[in-house]
């Protein structure tokens, strides 16, 4: 069933007691962080994000892939949470039984005030070495991969900026981004907590995800099978449409604040 915003959606959110919010790259798009479906720009225009974000790409050319992740860290450090992230933090403040699950490797939920989002695909800010018993590594927070090569002024035309990854100070192996690439297992504790929250919620909001990358794409389906209503916020149709009670076709920064305002219009006091 499909509706424009927001009567049914507002009613579902207004009545919910246990909410799960599952986010994907689309929630951060309006903060200037590109999704995996957007064309890369500037220095990276000749690469495909979906091909760079792989273990095979890192092993074939670590400097290229590390350089891309350094560039992304810089973009994220410079980005700010948008009204979509803030609306999700407002839902958490209002409904204590809310769990935020994100596929994103940025920290924009945390900076919007979400206390403990579950990161299914790791973090840009937690690199580790490639050893089987991986050691966490530190990165230079002050480093700015873009400093002398701003967007639109490529240092080397048509080429990404290559940066050699550091070596682990404990075992000497290469340091890699602390993210989950295709073919790699999701962090077990995070995935278990996400599945449990989805199975126990009465409302799941799926925001800005293409719904094609598994096992994260299973989470709204688990919620629906367990009897929860699923609301999707996405400007485009996705394979999740059919499990949703309401599909809100719009952007996260536009739709989520209206949804929150409509849900509590009649009852502005937070629940105890
Ligand atoms: C807006 C918007 C706005 C735009 N507002 N919305 C079952 C079936 C088939 C395959 C598999 C399966 N189970 C496992 C697999 C294999 C594989 C997989 O899913 N493949 C599919 C592609 C077919 N999965 C895995 O390999 C996973 N591991 C695993 O399953 O381990 C077990 C295993 C091991 C060994 C062998 C087999 C199994 C790991 C998946 C890891 C995904 N990693 C990445 C990179 C992370 C690091 C990094 O960031 O660099 O995670 S890939 C990329 O996709 C990233 C994202 O988190 C993830 C999901 O993408 P997301 O967030 O949905 O973004 P987009 O860009 O795809 O879509 C954006 C959406 O936003 C769009 O819909 C827009 O319309 C919308 N949008 N602007 C709201 N303003």
């Amino acid at each position: 069933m499909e509706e424009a915003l927001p009567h049914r959606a507002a009613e579902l959110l207004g009545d919910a007691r246990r909410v799960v919010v599952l986010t994907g790259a689309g929630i951060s798009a309006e903060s200037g962080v590109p999704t995996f479906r957007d064309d890369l720009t500037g220095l990276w225009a000749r690469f495909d994000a979906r091909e760079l974000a792989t273990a095979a790409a890192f092993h074939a050319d670590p400097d290229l892939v590390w350089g891309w992740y350094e560039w992304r860290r810089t973009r994220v450090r410079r980005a700010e949470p948008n009204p979509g992230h803030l609306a999700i933090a407002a839902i958490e403040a209002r409904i204590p039984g809310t769990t935020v699950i994100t596929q994103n490797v940025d920290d924009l939920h945390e900076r919007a005030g979400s206390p403990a989002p579950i990161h299914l695909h790791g973090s840009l800010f937690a690199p580790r070495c490639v050893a089987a018993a991986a050691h966490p590594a530190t990165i230079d927070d002050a480093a700015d991969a873009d400093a002398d090569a701003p967007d639109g002024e490529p240092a080397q035309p048509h080429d990404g900026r290559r940066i050699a990854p550091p070596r682990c100070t404990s075992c000497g192996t290469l340091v890699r981004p602390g993210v989950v690439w295709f073919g790699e297992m999701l962090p077990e504790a995070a995935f278990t907590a996400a599945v449990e929250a989805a199975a126990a919620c009465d409302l799941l909001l799926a925001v800005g995800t293409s719904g094609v990358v598994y096992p994260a794409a299973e989470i709204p389906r688990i919620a629906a099978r367990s009897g929860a209503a699923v609301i999707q916020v996405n400007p485009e149709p996705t394979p999740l449409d059919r499990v949703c009670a309401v599909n809100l076709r719009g952007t996260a920064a536009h739709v989520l604040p209206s949804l929150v305002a409509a849900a509590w219009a009649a009852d502005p006091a937070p629940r105890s």
Side-chain angles (χ1 to χ4, degrees), residues 24-26 29-30 35-37 53 68-69 72 103-105 121 179-186 208-215 233-236 238 250-252:
E30 287 155 288
T35 73
F36 284 82
R37 269 135 231 287
W68 183 57
Y69 277 92
R72 288 176 62 195
Q103 298 166 79
N104 298 344
V105 296
H121 294 162
V179 301
V180 182
W181 285 323
F182 283 119
E184 296 182 331
M185 303 298 286
L186 275 61
T209 178
S210 52
V212 297
V213 176
Y214 285 83
V233 179
N234 198 312
E236 304 291 335
T238 79
T251 72

Side-chain angles (χ1 to χ4, degrees), residues 17-195:
R17 290 291 180 275
R18 299 189 77 156
V19 177
V20 166
V21 185
L22 171 70
T23 63
I27 182 79
S28 297
E30 287 155 288
S31 294
V33 180
T35 73
F36 284 82
R37 269 135 231 287
D38 291 332
D39 289 336
L40 293 173
T41 54
L43 296 171
W44 297 99
R46 77 185 174 93
F47 298 100
D48 181 336
R50 285 166 289 185
E51 285 170 16
L52 287 173
T54 65
F58 182 73
H59 291 302
D61 193 342
D63 298 12
L64 177 72
V65 173
W66 185 261
W68 183 57
Y69 277 92
E70 281 289 311
W71 175 80
R72 288 176 62 195
R73 270 193 283 278
T74 300
R75 290 282 294 246
V76 167
R77 277 194 205 105
R78 292 177 179 180
E80 294 296 334
N82 67 55
H85 296 102
L86 296 171
I88 291 170
I91 294 171
E92 287 181 277
R94 171 86 182 207
I95 307 176
T98 299
T99 304
V100 175
I101 304 168
T102 187
Q103 298 166 79
N104 298 344
V105 296
D106 64 46
D107 61 352
L108 294 176
H109 282 303
E110 286 89 337
R111 286 201 267 139
S114 289
I118 296 173
H119 281 271
L120 291 179
H121 294 162
S123 164
L124 284 175
F125 302 102
R128 57 186 165 82
C129 71
V130 298
H135 305 100
T138 49
I139 45 171
D140 180 4
D141 262 353
D144 192 332
D146 235 6
D148 57 355
D151 263 351
E153 289 177 37
Q156 303 169 50
H158 313 303
D159 199 2
R161 193 151 174 254
R162 308 163 68 85
I163 301 175
R167 295 259 163 197
C168 177
T169 50
S170 301
C171 68
T173 63
L174 281 184
V175 169
R176 58 159 282 177
V179 301
V180 182
W181 285 323
F182 283 119
E184 296 182 331
M185 303 298 286
L186 275 61
E188 196 180 333
F191 186 60
T192 302
V195 168

